[in-house]
Amino acid sequence: MKDIFEDRQSNRVFIKKEIPKQYLLEIINAASKAPSPKNRQPWRFYILRDDDKSDFTELFRINRSRKPTLSQRKLNEFNSEESTYKIMKDADTLILVFNIFPSEKIFKSKDSLFDITNIQSIGASIENMLLKATELDIGSLWICDIFSCYDLINEKYFKEGQLIAAVALGYTSDIKLQKNRKSLYETILNIQEL
């Protein structure tokens, strides 16, 4: 297990090689094993491959070409959407991740605690996906740059839910990237007390 944690990285370059369907099912199965509040299992996944993935990336490209709103400019503050578009285009598979229980749709009003706990568990399910992909020697990237197309994606792919993220999957070259991680001492707020 230690090797999987050490080997997992955010891949941004994919090679042309198809992921077997069985591997995709194993990755989604790993995601479904994440803990969730009251066992709600709020995650739902939409798998995009081949023409479906091409349609999605074209939707993303067209929407980006329109004049962005202020919030969209903020989301794209480092112009990362351009590279994200290329990554999604080159990946073998994209998985859209949705929350099936957004409080505004369930309760007809906002309940932040309910939403936070669901989103935390969806984050855990995404991490399970990334770790399983690493175990299968498949590269992955957790993507949030899709939020500039939030309404379009929700409407087209799962209007009952709430878009949380996308995950790009694909085979990569053997090049391992240098990970720039903060030290343990930088991440623990009360290190002096230990």
Side-chain angles (χ1 to χ4, degrees), residues 23-33 43 45-47 95 125 129 132 169:
Y23 282 7
L24 291 175
L25 294 176
E26 287 181 41
I27 290 167
I28 296 295
N29 188 48
S32 71
K33 304 297 185 201
W43 45 75
F45 308 103
Y46 197 106
I47 300 171
I95 300 175
S125 77
M129 274 199 284
K132 186 62 178 183
L169 298 171

Side-chain angles (χ1 to χ4, degrees), residues 142-172:
W142 185 332
I143 298 172
C144 291
D145 276 339
I146 56 171
F147 289 140
S148 63
C149 300
Y150 179 88
D151 292 332
L152 286 171
I153 294 169
N154 264 344
E155 183 64 31
K156 182 172 171 92
Y157 295 99
F158 190 55
K159 61 178 119 184
E160 297 81 23
Q162 172 190 25
L163 178 66
I164 301 298
V167 175
L169 298 171
Y171 288 100
T172 65

Side-chain angles (χ1 to χ4, degrees), residues 23 27 82 86 89 104 125 180-181:
Y23 282 7
I27 290 167
E82 186 64 37
K86 181 178 180 346
K89 224 174 122 183
E104 290 180 337
S125 77
N180 184 12
R181 295 289 181 186

